[in-house]
Amino acid sequence: MLADQAVAPPLIRWLRLPLAIVCGAIMALGLAPYDLWYLGLAGLIAAFWLFASAPKGLYAVGTGWGVGLGYFGVSLGWIVEPFMVDAAVTGWMAPFALFGMAGGLALFWGLAFWGAAHQSRYPLAALVFLWAAAEFARAYVFTGFPWALLGYIWTSVSPIQLASVIGPHGMTLVTLIFAACATAGLMTKRPNTRPSIAAITLLATLFLGGTWLMPPLQDLSDRPSVRLIQPNAPQHEKWDPRFVKMFFDRQLSLSEAAPEPNQSKPDLIVWPETAVPVMLERSEDARRLMTLSAQGAQLVAGIQRGSAGTYFNSLILLDGTGALAQIYDKHHLVPFGEYMPAAAIFRRWNIAGLAARADGGYTPGPGPELLDLGALGRALPLICYEAVFPQDVYRSPSRPDFLLQITNDAWFGKWSGPYQHLAQARVRAIEQGLPMLRSANTGVSAVIDGAGRILVDLDLGVAGKVDSPLPPPLRVTLYSRFGDFPIFLVLVLGCLCLFWTGRRVSD
């Protein structure tokens, strides 16, 4: 179907790169906060058209790299925000960070385009599998960075429910298959409606399948009550001695406030990442005040702790009596944020991680673990960045009853970053069929059910609390059983088959 059909007219050489960048930028509009999925698909089809018009070699690499530069340049625009928190010191790094990140991730795509251009018989099919493999690779290579996966184009519409079956990388693969079929249908030399029919059929299947998988709302009567705290501490004020006590007292007041109408007294209170302004070793007085404000409820909060010269970004659980019941240390740290790779080299230029506590940064914890919350069940804690990784959730020691994310999205600014982070948290809930409690310093805090629906939330830039019944687990999904392995196997077999076919043709 995709063989010898997609032939585009040659482009003027100097137009190829700017057109590729524009295509990538349009693709990024399919992601939050824009959620223009149809524009995202249009940009993706245009990228396939550019590939079909590209000669082999560096032209193919440049086309793929340009598409990636536009896509990541728009979707990761929030990366400049952490550098502007202390603009006088680190602001100069912002444009270099954005271009470096976008250009670096675009290399994955450039390599995929280069490999696909060498498949003379099925170039579009080769691009589908190699591009999906490139997206899979960036989720794992160099600690991984699966932010803004192509499959997230569907987050605002029903097809995203299929993530419960095939996961985010499966969503990327079917998205690329659709774009390839649509491109082949638009560019065929001779009358042949099969690619177009295939594209339309696949699109209809995605929407119908997603709608069929969407479960009805659950009955939340007689469920435990939870409270999410959102202090709304801007990052440039969060550690300022003039404001530290104000933000801490604000969290205490929100914790001890009366329940919202038609809500029962909370059984669990959740504070965001690094919500406690002192180190755990010196937090006895702070924990006493937190316990009093919780009024018998369990309380989860983010805190920093040190041990033998190492520092951890941690989460603590205080039981109803105020005892320190459990500590969880974040294990998937942010490179160049919470730690510096090759710290000795960067130290020469006095460059340290933006959120690092000590020389070289935080130390990673041992890995995923569960919090035992008694009658509420067991929760899988995720600190900020960890909710971006589907594999981290899949690696849970055993199936939890719900997911619990604490985060400080003040680092991400006030536009795309916090909403993209929220969207990925929703996808984690869909993949596992588990509810998600999400407490964010500046927003968006939300209670999300196992279908990814936001039941209640506090918007960005608002200080407050939200009370809600805790949704029960929804379903044991196929993705929660098998993770990324089935899609990995499909990608490997697909690439091997295309490589073998290409060799036979060349022979």
Side-chain angles (χ1 to χ4, degrees), residues 338-349:
E338 293 174 310
Y339 76 98
M340 291 298 296
I345 296 175
F346 286 99
R347 194 182 302 119
R348 296 179 181 179
W349 292 279

Side-chain angles (χ1 to χ4, degrees), residues 490-505:
V490 168
L491 293 176
V492 169
L493 293 176
C495 290
L496 288 175
C497 287
L498 288 163
F499 173 75
W500 178 254
T501 302
R503 283 193 59 186
R504 291 187 63 184
V505 170

Side-chain angles (χ1 to χ4, degrees), residues 45-102:
I45 293 169
F48 271 90
W49 181 86
L50 279 177
F51 165 76
S53 71
K56 296 181 180 180
L58 291 178
Y59 289 106
V61 173
T63 300
W65 184 82
V67 172
L69 184 66
Y71 180 80
F72 294 115
V74 173
S75 62
L76 302 182
W78 53 266
I79 278 181
V80 303
E81 296 289 348
F83 297 92
M84 304 311 294
V85 171
D86 189 0
V89 177
T90 58
W92 65 271
M93 301 181 190
F96 298 100
L98 178 58
F99 182 81
M101 178 65 79

